[in-house]
Amino acid sequence: VDELRAHVERVLPEASRYRQKLERRRLRRPLWIDDPEFRIARHVQTARVPTPGGTRELETLTADLLGTEVPRLHAPWRVWTVQGLANGRGAVIAMVHHAMGDGLAGFRLLDQMLGGAPAPMPAARPRPALRRLLSRRNARALVRLLVDALRPASQLGINPRHVERIRDVATHTVPLAAVHQIQRAFDVTN
């Protein structure tokens, strides 16, 4: 964990948002500010899986950790190194508030933070992503999405007052190169 903390601190200047927190202001939208009390040990921690340290134990630990809240008084992210895995395996679990980066943007930042080379920007595609999104194949899903967007959050089951902390996690291994390939294929960027 000490090596990971040192590495993350070295790359944080390239990802300054990770040293910031949200300052809540009355009647105005929150503002990102530098966290004067930033401490890497608060964000990079260790966790241990129970014996036998297999995939199911890792998934259970991941669900438990992701069921906790992100820090609200400090930069809203955490990373855990996982100890106790069978066969000398290692794992890293990351939790980043969606305000810091969703989807592929989060993968790119995590890739950068953990030492990978930055993913290349996708090449221009002759068929724009918007046309693919609006294709007939996606029409039904888009209609459902638009209908759901008009319903109150409480009817969708995403009202924060009603979200339970119980989480379940299942895993599937995908090479990071495949994530980059998907990024290029769908002409998406972060």
Side-chain angles (χ1 to χ4, degrees):
V1 73
D2 292 334
E3 288 179 39
L4 181 58
R5 285 177 181 155
H7 174 77
V8 170
E9 284 216 283
R10 278 193 303 276
V11 300
L12 279 180
E14 298 171 31
S16 59
R17 176 72 75 219
Y18 278 71
R19 295 186 70 90
Q20 296 180 329
K21 66 179 185 173
L22 279 171
E23 179 181 70
R24 307 209 186 282
R25 304 177 312 163
R26 293 182 83 143
L27 304 177
R28 293 175 27 204
R29 61 184 189 161
L31 179 69
W32 287 103
I33 63 167
D34 290 335
D35 183 356
E37 297 175 11
F38 180 85
R39 286 194 273 312
I40 194 69
R42 181 181 289 131
H43 299 279
V44 180
Q45 303 170 349
T46 59
R48 177 171 286 283
V49 294
T51 304
T55 300
R56 187 64 207 143
E57 290 80 18
L58 179 58
E59 290 171 347
T60 300
L61 174 66
T62 302
D64 291 345
L65 293 175
L66 298 182
T68 63
E69 289 188 24
V70 293
R72 291 181 182 247
L73 300 176
H74 302 287
W77 65 275
R78 288 188 189 146
V79 173
W80 293 270
T81 61
V82 180
Q83 299 175 345
L85 291 168
N87 303 320
R89 293 183 311 151
V92 174
I93 300 170
M95 178 171 66
V96 179
H97 191 279
H98 66 88
M100 295 182 69
D102 273 345
L104 286 174
F107 280 114
R108 277 181 66 100
L109 198 49
L110 187 59
D111 186 27
Q112 177 185 6
M113 182 185 285
L114 297 179
M121 294 304 288
R125 296 281 182 258
R127 186 171 179 209
L130 182 59
R131 283 184 47 203
R132 278 196 306 270
L133 180 64
L134 298 175
S135 71
R136 179 175 289 174
R137 186 180 70 178
N138 295 328
R140 181 174 287 154
L142 284 170
V143 168
R144 280 195 311 263
L145 182 63
L146 291 172
V147 168
D148 282 348
L150 299 174
R151 292 171 43 201
S154 60
Q155 292 178 9
L156 295 173
I158 58 173
N159 187 329
R161 290 176 293 189
H162 303 293
V163 173
E164 296 182 24
R165 293 190 188 278
I166 299 170
R167 301 282 189 264
D168 197 12
V169 172
T171 60
H172 179 73
T173 303
V174 177
L176 193 52
V179 174
H180 294 184
Q181 193 174 22
I182 291 167
Q183 179 184 10
R184 287 187 299 275
F186 287 97
D187 194 23
V188 293
T189 61
N190 60 10

